[in-house]
Amino acid sequence: MKLQTATQEIKVVTAYYTPEEYLELEEKADDKNEYRDGEIISMTGGTTNHNKLAGNFYICLNVALNDLDYDIYIGDVKLWIPRYREFTYPDVMVIEGQPVYYSANTTIVTNPVLIVEVLSKSTKDYDRGDKFLYYRSIPEFKEYILIDQTKYYVMQYVKTSENQWILTEYETEDAMINLSSINVELSLKQLYKKVNFSENLA
């Protein structure tokens, strides 16, 4: 007796959207989604530590830059990266001078000088890899801060006049970060205020 095995090919169809279609859908969506060159990517919810770290960073900068010509945005403002056709939601952005908007849409900016991301298990590789590559295509972008929410640890990338990126790491509570793009100094003690490292993290 001869047995025959039939194999069935399963095709996975991925939907692709124009930027305009994404923006229309995003206006009606209950949750935030990123746009990556035609694909819409659902964003996972952040932890309480993630929220505290982004909020602490924003508060410190808001106080330090209050009377200076900078705008600070947190969470809900989208960033458009034209070279890579990407809409994303950085945790914190700082713009020097006036924001340059995408089209006539005042909820989407294009010209941050400083970007901050709080790392999570699900996004840390992307934030340190492809996402940083995409951010580097922005002409105004000069400084990238990556914050670990499981321990005292911050990675700081600063762009030099020769277009090289220099990494500095901070790993102690008493460390001070000199944000060179905006001339502000920030302590890890301030940044990690009320963060509970024993919490379960996503």
Side-chain angles (χ1 to χ4, degrees):
M1 181 175 178
K2 187 175 181 181
L3 297 177
Q4 291 184 333
T5 303
T7 59
Q8 183 178 9
E9 183 178 349
I10 300 175
K11 292 184 179 181
V12 177
V13 178
T14 302
Y16 287 91
Y17 301 86
T18 66
E20 292 72 26
E21 288 171 334
Y22 158 77
L23 292 174
E24 185 177 347
L25 291 169
E26 192 69 354
E27 283 185 6
K28 303 171 185 176
D30 294 328
D31 301 313
K32 291 191 292 188
N33 303 276
E34 292 186 335
Y35 177 86
R36 301 179 194 169
D37 194 20
E39 292 187 61
I40 295 177
I41 310 296
S42 178
M43 298 178 66
T44 58
T47 64
T48 53
N49 280 344
H50 185 289
N51 189 267
K52 289 174 187 176
L53 286 163
N56 288 345
F57 204 103
Y58 174 85
I59 290 169
C60 290
L61 292 194
N62 197 42
V63 172
L65 300 175
N66 185 45
D67 296 323
L68 301 177
D69 192 20
Y70 293 94
D71 283 336
I72 312 164
Y73 303 102
I74 185 168
D76 291 331
V77 174
K78 287 188 285 293
L79 172 65
W80 168 243
I81 307 171
R83 183 185 298 180
Y84 293 96
R85 289 171 40 85
E86 169 138 352
F87 288 106
T88 186
Y89 291 88
D91 289 322
V92 181
M93 288 187 288
V94 178
I95 289 177
E96 183 176 4
Q98 294 298 312
V100 177
Y101 294 112
Y102 170 84
S103 187
N105 195 320
T106 57
T107 65
I108 307 168
V109 299
T110 64
N111 61 322
V113 65
L114 168 68
I115 297 176
V116 179
E117 296 285 8
V118 180
L119 301 175
S120 66
K121 289 181 181 178
S122 60
T123 66
K124 62 183 180 180
D125 291 338
Y126 176 57
D127 288 341
R128 291 186 293 208
D130 285 346
K131 201 171 196 180
F132 187 25
L133 170 67
Y134 304 156
Y135 286 161
R136 294 199 302 271
S137 70
I138 299 169
E140 296 85 356
F141 181 49
K142 296 178 182 177
E143 191 163 11
Y144 191 37
I145 302 295
L146 296 164
I147 305 171
D148 194 310
Q149 58 177 304
T150 66
K151 59 187 176 184
Y152 288 107
Y153 182 57
V154 175
M155 302 171 70
Q156 175 193 37
Y157 290 92
V158 176
K159 187 179 181 180
T160 70
S161 57
E162 290 79 28
N163 292 327
Q164 296 177 323
W165 288 86
I166 305 299
L167 169 64
T168 305
E169 298 170 286
Y170 304 87
E171 301 182 69
T172 60
E173 181 182 3
D174 59 353
M176 300 293 295
I177 307 171
N178 178 21
L179 301 170
S180 63
S181 64
I182 56 176
N183 196 27
V184 169
E185 196 169 55
L186 173 66
S187 73
L188 262 67
K189 186 174 182 179
Q190 289 175 296
L191 178 58
Y192 282 87
K193 185 177 181 180
K194 293 189 177 181
V195 171
N196 182 359
F197 295 136
S198 66
E199 288 184 0
N200 292 326
L201 302 174

